[in-house]
Amino acid sequence: MSAPNGPGATGAPGALDAPGFPERAVRARARAGTAEVFPPADAYGARLFGAAGPGPGDGAYGPAGAGAPLPDALDALRIVPPVFMPRRLEKLIDLGREPSYEDVDLRTPVGGFDALLPLYLSAFGSTRAGSGDLGVAAGRQAARLGIPMVIGENMVPVHGYSRGGEGGTTRSALLERVAAYAQELPDGVGGVVVQQSTEDADSEVWNLLYSDPGTRALRDSGRLGFELKVGQGAKPGLGGMTVVSAAEAGRLSGQFAVRDLLGDGAGADGGGTGPGAGRRLRCATPGTFTEEIVRQQLRFMRNNFPLARTWVKFHPGRDIALAAATAWAAGADAVTVDGAEGGTGWAPRVFLDQVGLPLGECLRRIGRPAGDLLATGRIWEGGRAVRALALGASAVGLGRAALLAVDEDAEAGLVRLVEALALELRLLVSAVGKYRVGDLDPQDLWPADTPADAGAHPLPLGNRA
């Protein structure tokens, strides 16, 4: 990967877009960082500010002004500070002064790793948007932030596995991302987690990485992990999908189902020779899982790769509570839940709009987690992150937001986006009278359509163990 091959690779804004996602707000934060947490400073004294209304408007924040979709059930929960704050008093006594938002400690254990923030970089697999230079740039900045990075499925079956330098070969996409991350990573924090799917297992991805000299430092320092991918939020029950060229279709047809389903046989010029001619849909298998299969897979991972952290990722299925409990009981260091709002490089439209449980409902069904619970699904700002954390998540993942940020600025876009999110986390956590994200719980939230009861909280949810 010696030459740029994706939008944003040169540091200039690229052509990547994300319909249904607050792209304009993410790009603004990638440019301006923490300044975007507040209204424009030059409006101070000349404008009165309030909550954005439910319809179109020019608000500087929220669904009306940020290009975001209508709020889902998670967004609809209000964060409600109490009047009496005994933990603030404890912090005051501990510090010997009045505490401020800057005293909130965001350092968090994330799936067996130590992270400087309750965040991680969500999995980008073999799709065009995530497997090129944008993925490398996102990994490099995630390392500087001291947060874990997940690398998605099918990287080796699609892009191969090469350390580079052998007979003039270049380093493969997977190892390029690992190397870029490791080069920037501070001591003692972060970690790399690599997914494996059915096709990856055939390529022995985990075996290759676990024994690779290039990953030895991560492995021996406890900062290498493997994630069993059971499913994803954008297309629950399906395997990975990408669009491939005619040449790629021939090369990949031995490992994947490659089908002519895109109505693209004529090409962009209508004559069968244009740049789009012959594009095909490449489909991976979703794998077959039962409770016992998940238990056995996790035992296999722990026994065969004892120095690696063990993660498992589930799609937002109706039995998500049982799935998460099964994984924790089998020794998983983390369970990742990808809500139906989760992003993807490619999926059928009907799945994007009509299949899977929303993230908030997944968290409600899981209730009090028995281990580290990682949540993804349209996370880009501090409010949604705080809600997920209050409902039991240990950390939240940045997917589309991270890619848009590095597409806006390949050198520092993700860093600025996260700086803004971290500031909001500190402001919100301190506002409810707490100074560790692990102390958040459902009592910090209120569903607006339910009458508040001073004696009991209406959400039937438990906080983390």
Side-chain angles (χ1 to χ4, degrees):
M1 297 182 67
S2 57
N5 62 4
T10 63
L16 194 69
D17 66 356
F21 193 76
E23 177 182 349
R24 285 190 293 120
V26 170
R27 288 185 180 277
R29 287 177 175 223
R31 291 191 300 270
T34 56
E36 283 297 312
V37 173
F38 305 97
D42 58 8
Y44 178 71
R47 181 180 301 173
L48 299 177
F49 300 95
D58 62 354
Y61 202 78
L70 293 175
D72 59 14
L74 186 59
D75 289 329
L77 295 171
R78 292 190 66 86
I79 300 164
V80 283
V83 175
F84 302 123
M85 301 184 181
R87 294 196 182 188
R88 180 171 290 178
L89 175 60
E90 292 174 4
K91 195 69 175 177
L92 182 153
I93 294 170
D94 179 54
L95 296 173
R97 59 169 172 79
E98 281 286 347
S100 77
Y101 71 89
E102 293 178 325
D103 296 309
V104 174
D105 183 8
L106 296 181
R107 194 160 181 144
T108 307
V110 178
F113 305 119
D114 191 13
L116 297 182
L117 301 160
L119 302 171
Y120 64 96
L121 186 63
S122 294
F124 309 147
S126 59
T127 60
R128 184 175 301 166
S131 61
D133 286 354
L134 291 182
V136 174
R140 189 176 288 118
Q141 293 181 50
R144 295 208 300 264
L145 290 163
I147 62 175
M149 172 182 72
V150 185
I151 298 178
E153 63 179 343
N154 296 326
M155 291 289 288
V156 172
V158 172
H159 300 294
Y161 191 92
S162 171
R163 300 188 185 99
E166 302 166 358
T169 59
T170 59
R171 190 156 46 194
S172 61
L174 172 62
L175 293 182
E176 183 74 11
R177 289 172 63 182
V178 173
Y181 181 88
Q183 185 177 8
E184 300 283 342
L185 190 63
D187 291 338
V189 297
V192 173
V193 179
V194 179
Q195 286 183 352
Q196 182 166 287
S197 64
T198 303
E199 287 78 12
D200 289 313
D202 294 338
S203 300
E204 298 191 344
V205 173
W206 290 342
N207 283 326
L208 289 170
L209 282 167
Y210 197 75
S211 59
D212 194 310
T215 62
R216 185 174 299 148
L218 290 170
R219 183 196 69 188
D220 293 349
S221 63
R223 293 186 289 174
L224 178 66
F226 296 142
E227 183 172 71
L228 174 65
K229 182 182 178 183
V230 176
Q232 70 176 102
K235 42 185 180 287
L238 297 182
M241 293 180 174
T242 63
V243 178
V244 298
S245 67
E248 291 173 313
R251 178 174 63 84
L252 297 172
S253 60
Q255 294 174 285
F256 300 93
V258 181
R259 301 290 183 261
D260 181 7
L261 299 173
L262 303 178
D264 202 29
D269 62 358
T273 59
R279 287 183 295 197
R280 299 290 185 266
L281 179 67
R282 188 227 74 192
C283 304
T285 58
T288 301
F289 295 95
T290 64
E291 292 176 58
E292 184 57 28
I293 289 174
V294 167
R295 281 193 289 264
Q296 293 295 341
Q297 288 270 25
L298 291 171
R299 287 170 188 155
F300 166 84
M301 294 166 67
R302 295 174 61 204
N303 290 337
N304 286 34
F305 312 109
L307 298 179
R309 305 304 181 193
T310 302
W311 291 20
V312 58
K313 179 178 181 178
F314 293 118
H315 59 258
R318 64 192 186 210
D319 54 351
I320 185 61
L322 175 60
T326 300
W328 283 317
D333 291 302
V335 167
T336 300
V337 175
D338 196 11
E341 309 91 332
T344 182
W346 195 258
R349 289 177 179 174
V350 68
F351 276 76
L352 294 174
D353 297 329
Q354 301 182 41
V355 181
L357 294 175
L359 178 58
E361 177 62 14
C362 290
L363 297 174
R364 189 196 71 80
R365 293 191 182 202
I366 292 171
R368 185 183 181 91
D372 275 10
L373 176 61
L374 313 182
T376 63
R378 213 168 64 224
I379 304 292
W380 67 278
E381 49 81 42
R384 189 170 175 87
V386 161
R387 293 179 184 93
L389 294 167
L391 295 181
S394 306
V396 294
L398 297 175
R400 283 169 293 175
L403 280 176
L404 288 168
V406 296
D407 184 58
E408 183 69 28
D409 184 344
E411 295 301 320
L414 178 58
V415 171
R416 294 194 197 101
L417 175 72
V418 169
E419 286 174 348
L421 194 156
L423 173 58
E424 287 178 325
L425 284 178
R426 288 190 167 95
L427 291 168
L428 290 167
V429 174
S430 69
V432 296
K434 297 174 181 179
Y435 295 89
R436 293 175 56 254
V437 291
D439 291 334
L440 293 169
D441 62 45
Q443 291 189 359
D444 298 316
L445 306 176
W446 174 65
D449 59 352
T450 303
D453 183 339
H457 195 272
L459 287 175
L461 295 158
N463 60 344
R464 62 182 61 81

